[in-house]
Amino acid sequence: PPFDRKEARLAFAHAVDRDKLNQEANKGGASIANGPFAPGVSGYVEDSGRPQYDLEKAKALVAQLKADGVDMSFTLVDTPDPASVRPTVLTIEMLEAVGFDVTLKIESEEELINRAIVGDFQAAAFRNQPGDDPDMNYMWWYGKGNPVNFARFDDPEINDALTKGRSEPDEDKRRSHYETVHEQMATEVYYAYSWYVPWAIAEASNVHGILGPELPDGGEPAK
């Protein structure tokens, strides 16, 4: 609680101005996320239904939840990394502006991961979930009782799409299953995705082999 209620998750998503966060944290360099899959990944949907920044909607949702007797105070856990704490503190300011009461708890990365695995948290700042192929996220999202399904949701629609997607040889049908996952994750706000983290490997012209050897079939390593 309170994020076992979808209304609370929606309020969180509507309260946070991710464009402002991106400017503060990344100098505007990251791409705002509308769900778990980035553009170019099978399953990405441009209009996913992910709730956008809307201060008045957030205030109204929080007010209604409080009127219903829901305690809108919670603890947000983060690591001491300044690059993470800076946007987290700004996020907390945005959440408190719409009526949440937030306590920031700073722990080591190891402690945060342990909390996530056992489910001992209300909200946490996290960078997670691979973005190469959607099937790589099966372990993170499938089913109840899964210790690395940190948000502890058990969504039949997502379970079904993940199962079908990993066994479907037709690429168009496979993409359709993962589009279902992307949209369901975005609209249910199991995770309040902020941005897609860009990664790069820099190398000098006289350095070789960083991306690995040739693959067993003779192909080049992934770029």
Side-chain angles (χ1 to χ4, degrees), residues 26-38:
N26 311 308
K27 297 187 184 300
S31 299
I32 300 299
N34 73 352
F37 305 140

Side-chain angles (χ1 to χ4, degrees), residues 30-190:
S31 299
I32 300 299
N34 73 352
F37 305 140
V41 175
S42 181
Y44 170 76
V45 179
E46 184 173 358
D47 185 10
S48 66
R50 198 271 191 204
Q52 302 301 309
Y53 174 59
D54 190 321
L55 196 63
E56 295 310 312
K57 275 188 180 180
K59 288 180 178 179
L61 284 164
V62 171
Q64 184 59 58
L65 286 162
K66 286 182 175 180
D68 292 341
V70 179
D71 182 0
M72 297 304 289
S73 62
F74 71 94
T75 298
L76 197 162
V77 187
D78 197 2
T79 66
D81 180 357
S84 181
V85 172
R86 186 169 60 250
T88 294
V89 168
L90 185 55
T91 296
I92 289 172
E93 291 176 0
M94 295 175 181
L95 293 169
E96 291 185 331
V98 303
F100 283 100
D101 179 11
V102 189
T103 300
L104 175 61
K105 185 176 181 62
I106 300 296
E107 295 187 338
S108 71
E109 186 172 1
E110 293 80 4
E111 291 172 321
L112 176 55
I113 291 171
N114 286 335
R115 279 187 180 276
I117 289 173
V118 301
D120 182 24
F121 70 100
Q122 291 174 283
F126 231 96
R127 182 180 65 194
N128 195 36
Q129 301 163 0
D132 185 16
D133 186 278
D135 182 61
M136 298 170 71
N137 291 290
Y138 181 94
M139 63 175 287
W140 298 109
W141 302 331
Y142 188 88
K144 192 175 182 179
N146 174 2
V148 295
N149 179 349
F150 297 148
R152 297 303 193 271
F153 59 86
D154 185 18
D155 190 309
E157 193 167 345
I158 290 177
N159 292 343
D160 181 64
L162 286 171
T163 300
K164 290 177 178 176
R166 65 175 10 205
S167 59
E168 177 54 66
D170 183 284
E171 184 54 41
D172 289 336
K173 292 180 180 178
R174 182 174 187 264
R175 183 184 305 108
S176 177
H177 294 312
Y178 288 120
E179 286 173 353
T180 297
V181 174
H182 187 90
E183 291 172 335
Q184 189 73 352
M185 291 286 285
T187 58
E188 292 296 323
V189 205
Y190 296 127

